[in-house]
Amino acid sequence: MTAVGQMFALGLEVLRQLLRRPFQYRELVEQFWFVAGVSILPSMLVSIPFGAVIGLELGSLTAQIGAESFDGAASVLAIIQQASPIVTTLIIAGAGGSAICADLGSRTIREEIDAMAVLGVSPIHRLVVPRVLAATSVAVLLNGLVSVVGVAGGYFFNVIMQGGTPGAYVASFAALAQLPDLWVSELKAMIFGFLAGVVASYRGLHPKGGPKGVGDAVNQSVVITFLLLFLVNAVITAVYLRIVPSKGM
């Protein structure tokens, strides 16, 4: 529980330090390009089978109940609301987050973090804030790209593999989907990216056992992020479905 409290305190401190000047723009740009560079291609490659599986499963289900005209709407809702932000954050946590954790962990065991504190330089402001903000920004932007690729993959496999009607698939997009579905997807991506950055930074600042501890911290940061991801996703989805009425109701 102590670690949970410290992680929560780190997240609040990151939010507070966002307003502090001077802002580390150079560090932010470098971290943004790094996280984006290691996340874009894997996210696109993973989103294709995700969209394909969702499209195939929903296509088979709607065919059984005679609702083939809603294939497109159901696939878009599943991909945009659930699959896209989850895939995006899994890749960011696994690729970018692990690198952030390893970098901060190596700095910690070399006592660079302690040296910065002695010199009066805040490690949170100088190192953590740009990394967390970079992970959050990449997650929000990458979520849109993953949504497009996932929907395209679902369209291809539903229309080509299952013989669906292209016009009906596209026309049904507006049957159930609505603009708040996109907003909640972006909100999820932003929160998930922030959590991935905070968890990776916290574990990187608190390694145990020297170089081996850094490796353990990297593994722990990825696992913790995954657990938080699915927990927070369930909460946000439940709240969203309560607040925003389904289209047509």
Side-chain angles (χ1 to χ4, degrees), residues 210-246:
K212 181 180 181 300
V214 175
D216 294 338
V218 171
N219 295 332
Q220 292 170 7
S221 70
V222 175
V223 174
I224 293 172
T225 301
F226 286 3
L227 294 176
L228 287 176
L229 166 65
F230 291 107
L231 175 62
V232 175
N233 179 63
V235 174
I236 295 177
T237 301
V239 173
Y240 173 75
L241 294 177
R242 287 284 185 178
I243 295 177
V244 180
S246 299

Side-chain angles (χ1 to χ4, degrees), residues 4-23:
V4 175
Q6 291 177 346
M7 201 178 303
F8 182 76
L10 177 61
L12 294 180
E13 182 65 15
V14 169
L15 293 176
R16 189 181 71 85
Q17 294 281 357
L18 281 174
L19 304 177
R20 181 179 173 182
R21 297 293 181 268
F23 189 79

Side-chain angles (χ1 to χ4, degrees), residues 4 20 23 53 57 78 84 132 136 180 185 190 236:
V4 175
R20 181 179 173 182
F23 189 79
V53 170
E57 289 291 339
S84 179
V132 173
T136 305
S185 177
M190 181 177 66
I236 295 177

